[in-house]
Amino acid sequence: MTGRLCIISIIVTFLIIGCSKQAGLTESQIRLSEAKKAQAVLIEKANIILDTKVKGIFLEDLNHISYASEIALRAKQVFIDAKINLKSESLAALDNRIGSYVNSAGLTAVKLLYQSVDMTISFKKDIEDMPLQPLTSNSTSTSDGMVKFLAKQYSVDIKSCCISDLKDIAIFLSQVDELEHYPLRKMIANVEVRLSSVLRHHETAKKYQNEINAIGEQYKNTQSANKR
């Protein structure tokens, strides 16, 4: 009887040891498991935003796309912080999905840059076409008031039609790839300076438009390649 109990005790001991080895995880395995779970939550959140918030009108969708892109960056950072050198297929799929909006961002930015130049040229023409007032204090005051009014309206219009959206596009492109989209982001960063130059020197408008067109070719060519 004692011998049987001894055998049973040995068997139980081996079973416990075996189960412990199966259930026990190394520190790196635990870290990987936790990182995968944390990353999966973020990836799912980003995909839900793209599924439910994006309607197909780029400028209206831009904030949602940019937010999803920001979440994707946080998901990538999870593995970096955990010192895990693995590629996630679900994260790669999310990155590809977000990347599909890059051409729309680039082409929309080019369109807005052109529009801002056209509005600036139109504003400059309106000022130049104002009739010269007689040199009396009252008429001069009226003329100055009109110039200030047109300048204020131009400032409001150029910001609402173009500048604000351009800044948002630049943020999105920096999230996707800072280096690849640097030329366009730099142009957006300098847009107000360049428009001021157009106001002072009308002849600079054509050169500026040519520069905009040259940058736009990058996004036109990529779009054409994707359609093949």
Side-chain angles (χ1 to χ4, degrees), residues 113-128:
L113 287 166
Y114 269 120
Q115 187 174 344
S116 68
V117 176
D118 289 341
M119 288 184 66
T120 302
I121 292 172
S122 178
F123 166 67
K124 183 176 176 64
K125 188 174 184 300
D126 288 342
I127 297 300
E128 291 174 345

Side-chain angles (χ1 to χ4, degrees), residues 93-212:
L94 176 60
D95 285 341
N96 288 336
R97 191 175 183 187
I98 292 169
S100 68
Y101 297 103
V102 166
N103 286 337
S104 293
L107 294 174
T108 301
V110 168
K111 179 181 177 181
L112 292 174
L113 287 166
Y114 269 120
Q115 187 174 344
S116 68
V117 176
D118 289 341
M119 288 184 66
T120 302
I121 292 172
S122 178
F123 166 67
K124 183 176 176 64
K125 188 174 184 300
D126 288 342
I127 297 300
E128 291 174 345
D129 288 349
M130 287 183 63
L132 294 174
Q133 301 291 337
L135 296 178
T136 65
S137 60
N138 185 47
S139 60
T140 301
S141 176
T142 301
S143 178
D144 289 345
M146 180 58 68
V147 170
K148 289 179 180 178
F149 170 78
L150 290 175
K152 184 177 180 180
Q153 191 61 49
Y154 162 77
S155 179
V156 170
D157 290 345
I158 203 76
K159 183 176 181 180
S160 62
C161 92
C162 309
I163 304 297
S164 294
D165 287 332
L166 283 168
K167 302 291 186 184
D168 289 341
I169 290 173
I171 291 171
F172 169 60
L173 292 176
S174 71
Q175 293 171 337
V176 176
D177 191 317
E178 289 188 352
L179 293 178
E180 182 179 358
H181 305 292
Y182 176 75
L184 179 55
R185 292 192 301 109
K186 182 180 179 181
M187 180 167 279
I188 291 173
N190 293 330
V191 60
E192 288 156 304
V193 173
R194 298 300 298 271
L195 292 178
S196 296
S197 179
V198 171
L199 280 174
R200 293 193 302 271
H201 309 287
H202 178 76
E203 65 276 8
T204 64
K206 187 64 178 176
K207 178 185 177 183
Y208 186 31
Q209 288 171 325
N210 288 338
E211 291 175 20
I212 295 170

Side-chain angles (χ1 to χ4, degrees), residues 15-74:
L15 286 173
I16 292 172
I17 292 172
C19 290
S20 297
K21 286 183 177 179
Q22 289 177 2
L25 296 174
T26 66
E27 183 181 341
S28 61
Q29 288 173 325
I30 293 171
R31 189 170 68 249
L32 175 60
S33 177
E34 291 177 350
K36 282 183 175 180
K37 289 177 183 178
Q39 188 181 79
V41 170
L42 292 170
I43 292 171
E44 182 181 13
K45 182 177 180 180
N47 278 316
I48 288 174
I49 291 171
L50 296 176
D51 288 337
T52 61
K53 301 296 185 181
V54 175
K55 305 301 181 184
I57 302 174
F58 180 75
L59 286 178
E60 294 181 11
D61 294 336
L62 179 55
N63 285 338
H64 301 302
I65 296 169
S66 189
Y67 184 39
S69 179
E70 179 186 337
I71 294 172
L73 289 175
R74 285 161 51 194

